[in-house]
Amino acid sequence: MKVKVAINGYGTIGKRVADAVSKQDDMEVIGVTKTKPDFEAKMAIKRGYKLYCAIPENLELFESAGIKVEGTVEELIEKADIVVDCSPGKVGAQNKPMYEKAGVKAIFQGGEKKDVAELSFNALANYEKAVGKNYVRVVSCNTTGLVRVLYLLDTNFGVEKVRAVMIRRVVDPKEDKKGLVNGIMPDPVKLPSHHGPDVQTVLPHIDITTVAFKVPTTLMHVHSLNVQLKEKVSEDDVIDVFEKEPRILLVSKDDGFTSTAKIIEWARELRLRYDIFENVVWRDSIAVVGNELYFTQAIHQEAIVVPENVDAIRAMLEMAEKEESIRKTNESLEIGRFQI
Ligand code: NAD
């Protein structure tokens, strides 16, 4: 028997989570929602998903556009074992009373405040804490990228403190209404950026301060990390730890990975929508000075949280232990198959 998953909000994250869930042998997508009958709604039907209307008052819009919907979001979630809420930031919190009323478990995304859920989640760092929970928030793309590497460094060498700079893609490729055409925007100007405190929602004991800048690109974020470790390590010790983790991908300038543009070009040949579910760490950037570790990583914001959503489903519905869930998710999404 497969568990029944509803996706509320078939946008950038929702469509990717739907496709990832469809690839699992222990879960199925019973429906996805859209607010309006645009090309994404048509694509959802084309890909075989049952389409529901996220805003009941908009049913007529779908009818007049000639797009068949199965019903409203309330009707969808009644049939679901779990909802993955992929609506825009802050809308998930507005949807929560509907999930509570229906008595259905729900996963929220990083655009929500941490108190929307019982737990802020990352599969590597705290899978076990999500077991059986009703409401879980998968932390944002930047936080997922930070938590994965910091969890590994902390469990292997102990982390004393972290100072990190986030260089953020300004918007996703499809977002033509927003943008920063010519400039570098400190965002926020005042320290810290929200990423450090967000890391602490998963790893509360980590001393971390982050600053963030937005730059005019849509492809990926880049993080420059400075991590003070408790143990003395060599660069090879760090590479060993990262190499063993399928959700970290090590690349090198010598292989032609000179920028995020080249990483995306490589992924275009491999994956649907050039999705990169892994942290992409430049092997050549890993440097140890005294007890301080430096490295640079790139994060594909549209994809990195997708495996975490799949693992959160298994944890909350008590379907598998941590290692088993991560292994299944990794295999189905070909994570870790392309170490370079
Ligand atoms: P998006 O705008 O691409 O998609 C959101 C979808 O939800 C759209 O299809 C929209 O029509 C729909 N929607 C609007 N109102 C709704 C409602 N009331 N109920 C249900 N659906 C509704 O947004 P996104 O980028 O996929 O972001 C979704 C969530 O994921 C946000 O919390 C965001 O912060 C988080 N997130 C986004 C990224 C990213 O880079 N895109 C990365 C990690 C996490």
Side-chain angles (χ1 to χ4, degrees):
M1 266 275 282
K2 294 183 174 188
V3 301
K4 297 182 169 59
V5 182
I7 311 286
N8 193 18
Y10 189 77
T12 301
I13 300 299
K15 67 177 82 161
R16 288 172 169 82
V17 172
D19 287 353
V21 167
S22 302
K23 288 193 167 175
Q24 311 305 311
D25 60 12
D26 50 358
M27 50 185 88
E28 63 178 324
V29 177
I30 59 160
V32 305
T33 75
K34 279 296 300 174
T35 53
K36 50 184 188 302
D38 58 7
F39 73 91
E40 282 182 323
K42 291 180 187 168
M43 282 306 293
I45 294 175
K46 210 166 179 184
R47 293 180 83 80
Y49 297 121
K50 289 193 169 136
L51 184 68
Y52 289 75
C53 184
I55 301 176
E57 303 84 70
N58 285 2
L59 267 172
E60 259 178 35
L61 289 181
F62 286 86
E63 262 170 46
S64 41
I67 295 184
K68 183 177 174 286
V69 288
E70 310 285 329
T72 63
V73 60
E74 281 96 344
E75 291 168 293
L76 170 63
I77 65 174
E78 253 173 42
K79 297 178 237 167
D81 297 311
I82 193 160
V83 183
V84 186
D85 186 296
C86 301
S87 62
K90 315 287 180 289
V91 176
Q94 294 166 23
N95 288 336
K96 191 178 176 188
M98 176 171 67
Y99 307 142
E100 286 171 324
K101 196 169 153 221
V104 67
K105 290 181 188 249
I107 296 173
F108 298 95
Q109 306 305 315
E112 305 302 320
K113 292 209 173 112
K114 67 173 188 214
D115 55 11
V116 75
E118 299 158 88
L119 179 78
S120 289
F121 178 81
N122 174 267
L124 293 186
N126 66 358
Y127 182 96
E128 292 89 352
K129 285 193 179 155
V131 171
K133 289 274 190 296
N134 289 326
Y135 302 109
V136 161
R137 166 183 169 261
V138 170
V139 289
S140 74
C141 46
N142 282 302
T143 308
T144 298
L146 288 170
V147 168
R148 281 188 190 159
V149 286
L150 294 177
Y151 169 77
L152 290 172
L153 293 171
D154 195 40
T155 43
N156 283 281
F157 312 119
V159 167
E160 195 70 56
K161 71 174 187 190
V162 184
R163 301 295 177 255
V165 181
M166 322 275 98
I167 302 158
R168 302 176 59 196
R169 64 86 183 100
V170 62
V171 292
D172 287 341
K174 74 172 183 188
E175 291 179 304
D176 53 8
K177 282 194 184 149
K178 317 189 249 178
L180 170 75
V181 175
N182 184 20
I184 298 174
M185 185 192 290
D187 182 36
V189 175
K190 204 167 146 44
L191 258 64
S193 73
H194 72 275
H195 308 95
D198 206 25
V199 164
Q200 289 167 331
T201 66
V202 184
L203 300 170
H205 59 287
I206 297 284
D207 171 355
I208 176 167
T209 303
T210 50
V211 294
F213 300 86
K214 280 184 180 166
V215 295
T217 174
T218 65
L219 300 177
M220 300 180 90
H221 302 299
V222 167
H223 299 169
S224 169
L225 281 96
N226 168 219
V227 184
Q228 200 171 309
L229 297 168
K230 288 184 180 150
E231 259 180 47
K232 199 154 179 49
V233 298
S234 69
E235 283 141 19
D236 285 342
D237 294 333
V238 176
I239 289 173
D240 271 355
V241 168
F242 285 170
E243 259 176 354
K244 285 197 189 98
E245 173 47 57
R247 292 191 184 180
I248 310 285
L249 181 72
L250 289 163
V251 300
S252 160
K253 183 172 172 283
D254 292 343
D255 276 323
F257 293 101
T258 46
S259 72
T260 53
K262 291 286 175 38
I263 296 170
I264 292 295
E265 181 61 13
W266 169 79
R268 275 193 181 118
E269 312 221 11
L270 285 183
R271 299 236 175 99
L272 179 65
R273 310 185 184 104
Y274 62 79
D275 283 343
I276 309 175
F277 306 113
E278 301 89 342
N279 292 37
V280 182
V281 176
W282 269 279
R283 185 188 290 266
D284 356 23
S285 73
I286 297 173
V288 177
V289 183
N291 64 345
E292 288 180 47
L293 165 69
Y294 292 82
F295 63 96
T296 306
Q297 63 175 359
I299 303 295
H300 183 201
Q301 74 281 353
E302 296 166 293
I304 191 167
V305 298
V306 171
E308 312 300 321
N309 275 276
V310 175
D311 290 326
I313 293 172
R314 287 209 187 87
M316 292 166 72
L317 293 173
E318 301 180 53
M319 296 161 64
E321 306 272 313
K322 173 181 173 180
E323 284 71 27
E324 165 75 352
S325 177
I326 291 178
R327 185 189 58 73
K328 279 172 94 86
T329 308
N330 287 355
E331 275 179 22
S332 61
L333 299 179
E334 302 191 327
I335 293 172
R337 248 182 78 181
F338 302 105
Q339 290 292 352
I340 297 163

